[in-house]
């Protein structure tokens, strides 16, 4: 059984991502995704708008990160249909110590649409700056 | 004129990336890229091997990161021909305060092959944990 942690994690949402074929002056799909996720108010999850996660050709795009955890970037999200998928993935990420959710336990969309991951920063030793 | 900083930054190199069409038992292209970059011993740059940056279909892959800086992931690198390009990009990244090198000043390969970027962690306020 996984130990449940309620530690703070960040859910970064790219507000610049466009839906393919959307006119240039339409509200960005990423902005809608951000608003829908921010409305859900998950305890311990800070939803942050980011102006460009630089995954423009494969949006919508989010990233999950937290201190001492691997950061994961996921793409090709639908701003409407994938809101619950993102929330499921965030909850599983939050329940880990290091951010690594076993592959089989990830939402199927996350399994197929991981764009990149970054290891956590090393813990500073005494005397480091 | 940009102010030059000699602050420590990390150059993360995915050692798992394969060259397209390479047999399964061959040394990974990412491992060669890591070795070639590590040999160059740039001051203030820590070259770290990472087992999978999860950009498998678009390797070789590196990431640049540092405290208080945006993290950038770049892909589609050749383990031989692009070593100097990576080093040029690292030096420019290191010379910034926040990790954001103006687009026109980036090496051309970096301009065309940015996989994702992640903003820095917020600075902790007094009392935060």
């Amino acid at each position: 059984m996984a130990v449940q942690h309620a530690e703070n994690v960040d859910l970064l949402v790219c507000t610049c991502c466009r839906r393919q074929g959307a006119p240039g002056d339409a509200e960005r799909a990423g902005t809608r995704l951000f608003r829908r996720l921010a409305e859900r108010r998950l305890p311990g999850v800070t939803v942050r708008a980011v102006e460009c996660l630089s995954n423009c050709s494969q949006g919508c795009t989010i990233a999950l990160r937290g201190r001492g955890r691997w950061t994961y970037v996921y793409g090709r999200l639908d701003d409407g249909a994938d809101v619950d998928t993102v929330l499921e993935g965030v909850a599983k990420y939050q329940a880990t110590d290091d951010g690594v959710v076993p592959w089989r336990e990830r939402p199927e969309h996350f399994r197929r649409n991981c764009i990149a991951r970054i290891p956590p920063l090393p813990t500073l030793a005494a005397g480091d700056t």
Side-chain angles (χ1 to χ4, degrees), chain A:
Chain A
M1 190 186 79
V3 177
Q4 297 293 312
H5 297 272
E7 293 177 6
N8 285 337
V9 298
D10 283 345
L11 167 55
L12 309 175
V13 186
C14 182
T15 55
C16 303
C17 285
R18 295 180 190 278
R19 189 188 289 268
Q20 293 298 316
D25 58 353
E27 184 184 55
R28 302 287 176 100
T31 301
R32 287 194 298 274
L33 179 61
F34 166 71
R35 196 170 55 235
R36 287 166 180 157
L37 290 168
E39 285 170 353
R40 302 290 280 266
R41 300 183 182 281
L42 293 185
V45 178
T46 304
V47 184
R48 297 183 190 275
V50 180
E51 287 196 7
C52 199
L53 289 167
S54 209
N55 179 46
C56 313
S57 63
Q58 301 181 89
C60 294
T61 310
I62 62 144
L64 301 175
R65 63 110 178 258
R67 287 180 200 283
R69 291 163 195 254
W70 286 75
T71 296
Y72 281 82
V73 183
Y74 295 103
R76 304 184 200 99
L77 289 156
D78 185 274
D79 61 285
D82 289 328
V83 168
D84 286 337
T85 293
V86 173
L87 295 173
E88 178 192 349
V90 174
K92 289 182 171 174
Y93 181 82
Q94 194 180 19
T96 68
D97 285 323
D98 59 2
V100 182
V101 178
W103 193 82
R104 289 173 187 275
E105 296 176 22
R106 296 177 199 173
E108 186 173 345
H109 187 93
F110 278 25
R111 285 185 227 159
R112 297 174 186 274
N113 296 283
C114 183
I115 304 299
R117 66 173 198 161
I118 313 284
L121 282 165
T123 303
L124 286 177
D128 285 357
T129 55

